[in-house]
């Protein structure tokens, strides 16, 4: 496992509008570093403190927690601060974004109010896709017809 974890941490901090992309980047980073097992159950269970592996587990789990705390805005720290394991912290973040009505409403409003203005068509459609991906990450599926409707609605203005 890489001991220089901080050298290439994802720079985007977690906020309401980009959970899907944040989750993907941090997931890929942890997989690349060999730490994903602390999230997906492989190394999730803390060994008994008397076990010889305890110190190694504690050090690696601490590095994963460092990654998570570094990659979220300070106002999100309270949601993961008391987690006993990296998996628990990860699940706490997922629950917040999956079950937060305000997040759903905010993303829906962003989608309904998006405007092309002075950006290119490819950037405009990428922004729509980004919002739709964020909605998808919280189990709100936006089909292609609705995406087309959003684009056409902006053109009509």
């Amino acid at each position: 496992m890489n001991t220089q974890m901080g050298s290439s941490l994802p720079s985007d901090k977690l906020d309401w509008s980009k959970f899907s992309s944040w989750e993907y980047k941090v997931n890929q980073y942890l997989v690349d570093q060999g730490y994903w097992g602390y999230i997906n159950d492989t190394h999730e269970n803390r060994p008994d403190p008397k076990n010889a592996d305890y110190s190694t587990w504690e050090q690696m789990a601490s590095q994963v927690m460092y990654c998570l705390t570094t990659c979220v805005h300070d106002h999100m720290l309270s949601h993961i601060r008391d987690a006993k394991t990296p998996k628990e912290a990860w699940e706490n973040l997922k629950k917040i974004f999956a079950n937060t009505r305000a997040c759903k409403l905010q993303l829906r409003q962003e989608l309904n109010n998006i405007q092309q203005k002075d950006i290119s068509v490819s950037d405009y459609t990428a922004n729509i896709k980004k919002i739709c991906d964020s909605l998808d990450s919280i189990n709100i599926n936006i089909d292609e017809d609705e995406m087309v409707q959003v684009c056409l609605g902006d053109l009509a203005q």
Side-chain angles (χ1 to χ4, degrees), residues 3-142:
T3 58
Q4 295 187 344
M5 188 171 215
S7 63
S8 61
L9 281 169
S11 60
D12 291 345
K13 295 208 180 249
L14 178 59
D15 71 23
W16 291 112
S17 66
K18 57 184 177 182
F19 179 72
S20 181
S21 63
W22 178 89
E23 179 183 32
Y24 177 77
K25 289 175 186 176
V26 174
N27 175 301
Q28 292 303 303
Y29 176 78
L30 292 172
V31 167
D32 180 61
Q33 298 297 309
Y35 290 104
W36 185 245
Y38 290 86
I39 303 293
N40 76 353
D41 282 339
T42 310
H43 300 297
E44 191 267 329
N45 293 323
R46 179 186 306 234
D48 185 300
K50 296 174 186 171
N51 187 317
D53 295 332
Y54 178 77
S55 178
T56 301
W57 185 94
E58 191 72 26
Q59 180 181 16
M60 297 305 158
S62 178
Q63 288 183 16
V64 176
M65 288 300 292
Y66 171 77
C67 173
L68 293 177
T69 59
T70 302
C71 293
V72 301
H73 281 287
D74 288 346
H75 66 273
M76 300 296 298
L77 287 176
S78 63
H79 300 291
I80 62 175
R81 182 173 297 153
D82 296 329
K84 303 278 189 267
T85 64
K87 179 181 181 178
E88 183 181 344
W90 184 268
E91 293 300 322
N92 288 349
L93 291 172
K94 286 187 74 153
K95 272 190 251 179
I96 290 165
F97 288 92
N99 298 322
T100 301
R101 183 178 176 144
C103 179
K104 292 175 187 178
L105 294 173
Q106 178 185 351
L107 290 169
R108 271 288 191 187
Q109 183 175 358
E110 284 181 35
L111 184 62
N112 292 332
N113 294 335
I114 195 165
Q115 295 180 342
Q116 184 180 358
K117 294 185 180 177
D118 295 331
I119 62 173
S120 70
V121 171
S122 63
D123 286 345
Y124 174 65
T125 55
N127 288 342
I128 292 172
K129 176 142 179 39
K130 177 182 154 189
I131 295 169
C132 291
D133 288 346
S134 294
L135 284 163
D136 187 56
S137 75
I138 56 175
N139 299 319
I140 298 175
N141 188 5
I142 306 297

